[in-house]
Amino acid sequence: MGKDKIDIKALQDIPPWDWPKDADRTFLGILRDDQADESDRLVAAELAGDFTVINDELAEVLLSIVRSSDEPENLRGRAAISLGPALEYADMEGYEEDDDDFDYPDDVPISEETFQQIQDSFRRFYMDADVPKEVRRQVLEASVRAPQKWHQDAIRA
């Protein structure tokens, strides 16, 4: 894990377009390792939401962190926030298929299925009183980037 620790700290100071091609693998390794240093996992969660690396696999790992009551609250919240930009972009660009031309993965970093899974999960997390208040707030903050009907009542509350 020493190599990952050095890499994650170095990646924090490098523009995302200069990251190595396997940066997503570095983030996945750290995020999946519940024995990794919490500060490294926080940095990995933050960086994993960048458009240069976010994909279905990273989104699913971030969502699993948000879902897990065994994870620290600050990591759960950071993972939720990191999903916000992908949700917003997917919501703005949409998932339209032109005839048989199935090219949206180049345009939108996460699949429509993953987008819907995140939105459905975020709604459940927000409505679940057992989820810590700060995590629920960050889930809502990320989720409103792709507006849903339930957001209006949540914001009023």
Side-chain angles (χ1 to χ4, degrees):
M1 186 50 114
K3 182 181 183 298
D4 285 343
K5 187 171 186 168
I6 293 168
D7 288 348
I8 195 71
K9 298 300 185 196
L11 290 177
Q12 207 172 6
D13 297 325
I14 298 172
W17 54 88
D18 287 336
W19 289 345
K21 287 186 179 192
D22 66 345
D24 60 331
R25 294 276 145 224
T26 299
F27 303 147
L28 283 168
I30 293 169
L31 292 170
R32 287 179 171 149
D33 182 1
D34 61 358
Q35 301 301 308
D37 186 70
E38 185 177 335
S39 67
D40 288 347
R41 292 183 80 212
L42 280 166
V43 171
E46 178 181 352
L47 299 179
D50 191 276
F51 265 46
T52 59
V53 293
I54 191 70
N55 56 38
D56 283 349
E57 189 175 11
L58 271 171
E60 289 168 13
V61 169
L62 289 168
L63 189 58
S64 73
I65 289 170
V66 177
R67 182 182 294 125
S68 176
S69 61
D70 293 335
E71 296 286 5
E73 285 182 32
N74 59 342
L75 179 59
R76 292 175 72 189
R78 179 66 252 179
I81 293 296
S82 290
L83 291 167
L87 289 177
E88 181 176 16
Y89 191 79
D91 184 61
M92 287 175 24
E93 292 300 314
Y95 292 98
E96 296 178 17
E97 295 178 40
D98 296 331
D99 300 319
D100 292 328
D101 186 20
F102 188 73
D103 64 353
Y104 72 78
D106 291 337
D107 299 331
V108 181
I110 58 173
S111 69
E112 187 172 8
E113 180 181 332
T114 298
F115 172 83
Q116 198 58 54
Q117 180 183 11
I118 294 167
Q119 285 290 53
D120 293 346
S121 296
F122 276 6
R123 183 176 190 279
R124 282 193 312 275
F125 299 152
Y126 182 78
M127 300 298 177
D128 185 348
D130 291 335
V131 173
K133 184 178 180 177
E134 186 62 18
V135 174
R136 291 175 62 222
R137 185 188 68 75
Q138 290 170 309
V139 160
L140 179 61
E141 185 179 325
S143 183
V144 297
R145 295 184 73 170
Q148 302 282 298
K149 289 181 182 182
W150 65 271
H151 291 148
Q152 292 175 344
D153 289 338
I155 291 168
R156 275 193 287 270

